[in-house]
């Protein structure tokens, strides 16, 4: 639970200012589930991460970038539609 919370905090860094509190809560819940699955897959294929910090930081960063892209893409698409472009 500690590592998944750290991954969520890293993701929040990419999403601050773009999302509401409700969206951040939904992202956190979804990310914890996906992070747990990611850890299970890593253990299954015997990935070596002694302290666990590399996996946490990489997962949090890429999850945050992907979520930010999805949120930004949706907002820019709605703006284009409202402007008639």
């Amino acid at each position: 639970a500690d590592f998944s919370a750290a991954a969520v905090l890293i993701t929040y860094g990419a999403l601050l200012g773009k999302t509401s509190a409700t969206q951040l809560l939904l992202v956190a819940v979804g990310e914890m589930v996906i992070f747990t699955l990611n850890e299970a897959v890593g253990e299954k294929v015997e990935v070596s991460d002694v302290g666990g910090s590399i996996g946490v930081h990489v997962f949090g960063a890429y999850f945050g970038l992907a979520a930010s892209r999805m949120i930004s893409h949706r907002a820019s698409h709605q703006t284009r539609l409202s402007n008639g472009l």
Side-chain angles (χ1 to χ4, degrees):
D2 293 339
F3 287 140
S4 61
V8 169
L9 290 174
I10 293 166
T11 298
Y12 278 7
L15 298 177
L16 284 176
K18 296 181 182 182
T19 57
S20 67
T22 305
Q23 289 172 322
L24 287 174
L25 179 64
L26 292 173
V27 166
V29 171
E31 183 175 5
M32 286 189 184
V33 171
I34 296 170
F35 180 77
T36 303
L37 293 172
N38 187 46
E39 266 191 332
V41 169
E43 289 175 5
K44 185 79 170 172
V45 296
E46 299 177 2
V47 173
S48 178
D49 186 9
V50 178
S53 64
I54 294 172
V56 170
H57 285 88
V58 169
F59 182 83
Y62 281 111
F63 192 90
L65 289 173
S68 176
R69 173 140 173 120
M70 288 177 63
I71 291 169
S72 297
H73 180 69
R74 183 178 305 142
S76 66
H77 182 67
Q78 288 174 349
T79 303
R80 278 189 251 142
L81 287 177
S82 65
N83 291 335
L85 296 176

